[in-house]
């Protein structure tokens, strides 16, 4: 069940808020449509419910707000817009990656593929899918964690009739299994055809909250609005004349002196009133399909319906307290069970007369949520009775809370006039944009993300090719040290191709995440978790080490092939050089990961990698080569003396080599850059958590 209370978006400069005090309910086992024209506030309301946009209000999903749910993806499946997946990723690979993000077994990907009818497209790229197949994949992505609630924003928009029929059939099947389904649409016929309950928005406010049957009857067909002090007499005369003329006419008393006549015209009703001497105050054609004036409902209509719903609230309160239900007036046309599905109600409710040639219905409508002329959202529950007022003094706190809990939803939202005035003064709680936790399996997710597209393989192949060509050219020119020759690192270039390739792959680890947020498709932002960062650092380091080893091996073989074994020999101090080479490549990869995570861009990550030798190294050289009084010589020996232990396996030699590498300008610049980026990432992570 979804319960939304007082959803209000932040005002936009001098414009009114896109959503203003929207409250409604979507029940489990039913399909609820959020209907409204373009700009009515449907998408904004959904984003406020999902805590994707700042504002005010509160939304409960089965009694809990979204930020109080341990794993929101397993409770709420969301389909907003297109599927945000990498165009080069396959359908099956994308779903398998989402399985790792949702913490479900990988076989779930094949199950949702079969349920969505995408078995034949499992190896297709996301960029090659049609609009209909893209929507099917979006629904499959939302169903991967097997959520209880589905929230979809215009799911059938721009789809063919066949694809739209399949999509709504899937939503209906999910609701039939006990789930809650809420979707938005701008087509009233789509809402009436596929939903059980319709909530109509107009200019950011709710103008109707109805069952689908009542919505179809009152807001989809043209009608004649009549206001006369002799409403009952005119209704009887119109019904009698329609029966005599064998025409299908429906007369609906709408409270007080108002009538709504369906299947007739202003001329026919005016002639009937004139012939019988009935005074008419208003006679106008109306279309209830969210047209102009749909929100202008007289207060008399709300007052009469409030009496019926007040009785309903009184019955519910009495049943919750264990007392027998009070007798209900016979004139109340409200159904006995307000929660019942109106589709199962008799066709002649309220006393309909049926003939062989047509049907003339004369029924009393059920409660409907609408806007009164004063602009305040009133419910049908407004009216006298214990269900709509304050709890009696004789009741203790527990009885009062039970009585409030037993009221119908509309009664709880509106209450008495004093409650409405108090609600206007007391603002609903603010809505903050929060990151959603999930049972993520970081390493498995990162491996599937990195191996699911061919970008890494293409970058690796290009790096090997450029390195081999560069090594051959450098060997031909000469005057290049052996270590730089094997790494294909010219003196004039700040970084070798392998380091640039490792930095690019590291930047893509977070850059692709922000461009195509598969990890947080429904949240709109990539969560900052230390587990995810650690997984990306581990995978990027392994990729960088593999790329560095392949580069040196490939360059060695190419040099042996072109110039013999003389240029393919390893340098004398190869252990220290190897450590420095691997540290440089891994450091570039980590710089790309951290910079892309901080600045949310692949270009920023690669720029941070290039900035280390171009900008940071000269600064470190100036500091390191400046006047100094003391140095760190003999550090391992002094550490041994302090700890009174021997370094195992000659560890002091490795410590000395590590310190010597860090003491170099490039090593010191890389260490400084990584430390700064890591601190920036941790700072932004803590700041987002505080928010």
């Amino acid at each position: 069940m979804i319960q939304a209370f007082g959803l209000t978006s932040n005002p936009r400069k001098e414009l009114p808020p896109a959503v203003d005090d929207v409250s409604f309910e979507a029940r489990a086992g039913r399909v609820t449509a959020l209907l409204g024209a373009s700009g009515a506030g449907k998408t904004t309301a959904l984003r406020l419910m999902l805590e994707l946009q700042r504002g005010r209000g509160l939304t409960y999903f089965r009694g809990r707000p979204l930020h109080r749910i341990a794993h929101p993806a397993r409770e709420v499946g969301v389909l907003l817009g297109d599927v945000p997946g990498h165009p080069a990723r396959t359908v099956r690979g994308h779903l398998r990656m989402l399985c790792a993000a949702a913490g479900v077994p990988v076989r779930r990907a094949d199950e949702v593929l079969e349920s969505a009818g995408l078995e034949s497209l499992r190896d297709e790229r996301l960029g090659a899918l049609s609009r209909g197949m893209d929507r099917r994949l979006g629904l499959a992505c939302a169903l991967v964690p097997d959520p209880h609630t589905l929230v979809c924003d215009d799911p059938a928009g721009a789809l063919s009739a066949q694809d739209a029929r399949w999509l709504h059939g899937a939503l209906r099947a999910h609701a039939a299994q006990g789930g809650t389904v809420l979707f938005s649409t701008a087509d009233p016929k789509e809402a009436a055809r596929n939903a059980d309950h319709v909530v109509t928005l107009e200019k950011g406010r709710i103008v109707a909250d109805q069952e689908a049957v009542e919505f179809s009857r009152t807001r989809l067909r043209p009608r004649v609005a009549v206001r006369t002090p002799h409403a009952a007499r005119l209704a009887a005369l119109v019904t009698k004349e329609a029966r005599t003329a064998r025409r299908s006419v429906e007369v609906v008393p709408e409270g007080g002196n108002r009538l709504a006549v369906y299947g007739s015209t202003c001329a026919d009703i005016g002639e009937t009133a004139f012939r019988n001497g009935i005074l008419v105050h208003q006679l106008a054609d109306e279309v209830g399909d969210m047209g102009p004036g749909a929100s202008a409902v007289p207060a008399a209509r709300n007052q009469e319906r409030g009496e019926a719903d007040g009785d309903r609230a009184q019955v519910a309160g009495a049943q919750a307290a264990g007392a027998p239900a009070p007798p209900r007036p016979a004139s109340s046309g409200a159904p006995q069970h307000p929660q019942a599905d109106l589709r199962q109600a008799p066709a002649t409710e309220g006393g309909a007369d049926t003939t062989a040639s047509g049907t003339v219905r004369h029924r009393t409508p059920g409660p409907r949520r609408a806007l009164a002329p004063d602009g305040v959202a009133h419910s049908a529950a407004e009216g006298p009775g214990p269900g709509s007022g304050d709890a009696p003094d004789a009741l203790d706190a527990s009885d009062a809370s039970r009585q409030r809990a037993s009221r119908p939803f509309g009664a709880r939202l509106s209450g008495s006039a004093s409650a409405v005035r108090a609600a206007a003064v007391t603002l609903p709680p603010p809505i903050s944009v929060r990151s959603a936790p999930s049972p993520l399996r970081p390493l498995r997710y990162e491996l599937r993300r990195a191996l699911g597209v061919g970008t890494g393989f293409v970058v690796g192949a290009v790096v090997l090719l450029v390195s081999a060509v560069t090594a051959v050219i450098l060997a031909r020119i000469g005057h290049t040290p052996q270590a730089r020759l094997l790494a294909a690192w010219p003196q004039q270039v700040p970084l070798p191709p392998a380091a640039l390739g490792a930095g690019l792959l590291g930047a893509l680890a977070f850059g692709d995440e922000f461009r195509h947020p598969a990890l947080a498709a429904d949240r709109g932002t990539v969560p900052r978790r230390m587990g995810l960062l650690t997984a990306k650092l581990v995978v990027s380091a392994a990729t960088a080490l593999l790329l560095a080893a392949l580069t040196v091996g490939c360059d060695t073989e190419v040099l042996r092939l072109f110039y013999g074994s003389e240029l393919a020999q390893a340098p004398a101090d190869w252990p220290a050089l190897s450590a420095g080479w691997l540290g440089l490549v891994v450091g570039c990869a980590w710089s790309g990961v951290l910079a892309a995570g901080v600045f949310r861009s692949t270009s920023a990550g690669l720029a941070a990698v290039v900035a280390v030798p171009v900008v940071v190294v000269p600064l470190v050289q100036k500091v390191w080569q400046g006047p100094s009084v003391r140095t760190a010589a003999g550090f391992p020996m002094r550490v041994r003396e302090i700890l009174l232990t021997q370094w195992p396996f000659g560890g002091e030699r490795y410590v000395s080599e590590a310190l010597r590498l860090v003491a170099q300008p490039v090593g010191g610049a890389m260490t400084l850059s990584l430390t700064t980026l890591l601190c920036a990432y941790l700072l932004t992570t803590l700041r987002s958590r505080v928010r």
Side-chain angles (χ1 to χ4, degrees):
M1 177 187 295
I2 304 175
Q3 294 173 307
F5 303 94
L7 297 179
T8 304
S9 61
N10 291 334
R12 301 158 295 176
K13 297 182 180 180
E14 298 180 355
L15 300 177
V19 173
D20 188 7
D21 195 20
V22 170
S23 302
F24 65 93
E25 182 179 273
R27 295 188 173 275
R30 311 187 70 189
V31 179
T32 303
L34 192 61
L35 177 65
S38 178
K42 306 183 299 297
T43 302
T44 303
L46 295 182
R47 292 181 62 84
L48 288 172
M49 293 170 58
L50 298 171
E51 298 179 359
L52 298 178
Q53 183 172 331
R54 296 181 183 275
R56 288 192 171 272
L58 192 63
T59 303
Y60 286 132
F61 296 90
R62 290 203 289 181
R64 294 175 296 171
L66 197 64
H67 61 274
R68 297 285 185 181
I69 301 175
H71 304 311
R74 293 184 177 179
E75 177 65 31
V76 184
V78 179
L79 177 58
L80 301 178
D82 298 332
V83 179
H86 197 289
R89 201 178 302 279
T90 63
V91 172
R92 189 168 184 264
H94 184 73
L95 291 175
R96 287 169 65 91
M97 185 177 60
L98 292 181
C99 288
V104 299
V106 70
R107 64 175 180 274
R108 178 66 179 169
D110 296 325
E111 294 175 1
V112 296
L113 271 176
E114 182 179 357
S115 63
L118 297 173
E119 305 97 324
S120 59
L121 301 177
R122 64 177 60 199
D123 296 326
E124 284 290 330
R125 306 290 177 181
L126 297 187
L129 295 180
S130 64
R131 176 72 175 176
M133 295 300 103
D134 184 81
R135 280 295 178 178
R136 291 196 183 203
L137 177 60
L139 185 59
C141 294
L143 292 175
V144 163
D146 194 17
H148 175 270
T149 303
L150 284 179
V151 178
C152 306
D153 185 16
D154 195 15
L159 292 184
S160 64
Q162 181 180 0
D163 291 332
R165 193 160 45 247
W166 179 91
L167 185 63
H168 283 295
L171 297 180
R172 172 65 61 185
H174 184 80
Q177 295 176 358
T180 304
V181 176
L182 173 66
F183 74 92
S184 65
T185 180
D187 186 0
K189 294 182 179 179
E190 178 186 358
R193 185 167 50 247
N194 300 295
D196 302 313
H197 195 87
V198 181
V199 179
T200 307
L201 286 179
E202 182 178 325
K203 296 181 180 179
R205 287 178 172 266
I206 291 183
V207 296
D209 190 344
Q210 308 165 287
E211 297 292 331
V213 173
E214 185 182 1
F215 170 79
S216 301
R217 180 173 58 82
T218 59
R219 301 186 67 82
L220 282 183
R221 294 182 295 165
R223 60 187 178 184
V224 179
V226 184
R227 186 160 59 89
T228 172
H230 309 285
R233 181 185 172 196
L234 181 59
L237 290 173
V238 171
T239 302
K240 180 179 179 181
E241 291 187 1
R243 187 186 302 111
T244 303
R246 306 177 69 86
R247 292 187 291 110
S248 178
V249 176
E250 181 180 2
V251 181
V252 179
E254 293 203 337
N257 56 358
R258 283 182 58 90
L259 295 176
V261 183
Y262 299 89
S264 185
T265 62
C266 290
D268 293 340
I269 297 175
E271 291 177 2
T272 301
F274 178 77
R275 286 196 305 268
N276 295 275
I278 297 177
L279 177 64
V280 176
H281 292 163
Q282 180 188 13
L283 191 63
D285 289 321
E286 287 186 358
V287 177
D289 184 11
M290 300 179 300
S295 60
V297 180
R301 185 189 311 181
N302 283 339
Q303 181 179 0
E304 181 170 325
R305 291 176 182 168
E307 295 175 359
D309 222 27
D311 296 337
R312 218 179 290 153
Q314 182 179 3
V315 173
Q319 291 176 352
R328 297 176 54 199
S331 60
S332 175
Q336 184 176 0
H337 301 284
Q339 309 289 344
D341 189 354
L342 294 185
R343 294 192 178 195
Q344 300 177 0
T348 59
E349 179 185 2
D353 299 329
T354 307
T355 63
S357 60
T359 303
V360 178
R361 296 176 185 155
H362 184 198
R363 64 174 73 173
T364 302
R368 182 170 62 205
R369 183 175 178 81
L371 279 181
D374 56 0
V376 180
H378 295 278
S379 171
E382 289 189 29
S388 58
D390 297 332
D393 297 335
L395 293 177
D396 57 6
S398 61
D399 292 338
S401 62
R402 274 200 309 272
Q403 185 175 4
R404 285 194 298 268
S406 64
R407 297 175 188 170
F409 184 69
R412 293 201 305 271
L413 289 179
S414 299
S416 61
S418 60
V420 173
R421 288 193 297 269
V425 176
T426 305
L427 295 176
I431 299 175
S432 301
V433 179
R434 301 178 175 91
S435 61
S438 66
L440 176 66
R441 298 172 181 176
L443 190 58
R444 185 180 305 178
Y445 168 81
E446 183 61 21
L447 286 174
R448 290 176 181 168
R449 186 207 61 79
L451 300 177
V453 295
T455 305
F457 302 101
V458 173
V459 171
V462 171
V463 166
L464 294 180
L465 179 61
V466 173
S467 298
V469 173
T470 305
V472 171
I473 295 176
L474 290 178
R476 182 176 179 84
I477 295 175
H479 309 291
T480 302
Q482 183 68 11
R484 283 184 170 265
L485 185 62
L486 294 179
W489 189 358
Q491 297 279 357
Q492 299 79 11
V493 178
L495 287 174
L500 289 174
L504 176 59
L505 293 178
L508 287 172
F510 260 127
D512 280 349
E513 202 77 84
F514 290 107
R515 285 189 62 194
H516 310 287
L519 181 62
D522 52 343
R523 303 292 302 175
T525 180
V526 178
R528 296 179 176 274
R529 301 195 189 97
M530 294 307 299
L532 180 62
L533 175 62
T534 304
K536 291 185 179 296
L537 292 178
V538 169
V539 174
S540 62
T543 305
L545 292 175
L546 179 61
L547 188 60
L550 290 177
T551 300
V552 173
C554 181
D555 293 345
T556 302
E557 293 300 323
V558 170
L559 291 175
R560 179 180 289 111
L561 177 63
F562 276 85
Y563 304 107
S565 59
E566 180 181 357
L567 295 179
Q569 295 179 357
D573 54 344
W574 67 268
L577 293 175
S578 299
W581 168 245
L582 296 178
L584 173 66
V585 177
V586 172
C588 289
W590 284 358
S591 296
V593 171
L594 292 172
V598 171
F599 300 108
R600 299 173 177 264
S601 170
T602 303
S603 302
L606 188 58
V609 174
V610 178
V612 171
V614 175
V615 178
V616 184
V617 169
L619 296 178
V620 174
Q621 283 180 336
K622 289 182 179 180
V623 174
W624 203 260
Q625 294 175 359
S628 60
V629 178
R630 294 178 179 86
T631 61
F635 174 74
M637 299 301 296
R638 288 195 294 272
V639 171
R640 182 195 305 176
E641 294 174 359
I642 293 174
L643 299 179
L644 299 178
T645 58
Q646 296 289 333
W647 289 91
F649 306 105
E652 64 274 7
R653 180 165 57 89
Y654 298 105
V655 174
S656 300
E657 294 294 338
L659 291 177
R660 187 166 67 88
L661 291 175
V662 174
Q664 293 178 358
V666 177
M670 187 66 68
T671 304
L672 178 63
S673 176
L674 288 176
T675 304
T676 304
L677 290 174
L678 182 59
C679 292
Y681 187 90
L682 295 177
L683 180 62
T684 54
T685 302
L686 293 177
R687 187 178 64 177
S688 64
R689 289 183 179 180
V690 169
R691 285 182 179 178

